Amino acid sequence: MTTPGRATPDDAELVPIAVDADGLDTAALTRVLDQESPAAAIVFCRTRQETNDLTEALRIRGYAAEALHGDMNQGERDRTMRRFRDGQADL
């Protein structure tokens, strides 16, 4: 049973973005996000530092981005996921 207004795995769409060895091309990602206008998105990075760097770059560009990685304690991870589920974070 699904909750009205909540996304399910069946609603998900994957949009792969190729990156070079130096990391993510933030401009390419923001073009895709602007064009596709997803209600929410999850972006995977290789490292915690890339995750933090991308989160900051997206925030500077006006996105409600949140980082989620293993250096965060469980309470921080839970709060981040709650904000994402509640629509307070886009990415």
Side-chain angles (χ1 to χ4, degrees):
M1 179 176 192
T2 60
T3 304
R6 303 259 337 226
T8 66
D10 293 332
D11 297 330
E13 178 183 352
L14 291 176
V15 179
I17 299 174
V19 298
D20 60 27
D22 294 328
L24 180 66
D25 181 347
T26 305
L29 175 60
T30 57
R31 282 192 301 274
V32 170
L33 292 171
D34 290 343
Q35 184 176 21
E36 297 294 325
S37 298
I42 298 175
V43 178
F44 293 92
C45 300
R46 289 181 311 155
T47 67
R48 293 174 180 110
Q49 188 60 52
E50 284 179 5
T51 301
N52 289 332
D53 292 347
L54 178 61
T55 299
E56 183 62 26
L58 290 170
R59 286 178 178 168
I60 288 169
R61 288 172 172 77
Y63 293 93
E66 297 280 342
L68 182 69
H69 54 70
D71 280 351
M72 300 168 72
N73 68 46
Q74 188 61 46
E76 291 172 317
R77 291 192 299 264
D78 289 343
R79 281 188 295 280
T80 297
M81 288 307 301
R82 191 175 321 110
R83 285 192 297 268
F84 184 75
R85 284 191 299 270
D86 292 345
Q88 297 172 352
D90 302 325
L91 304 160

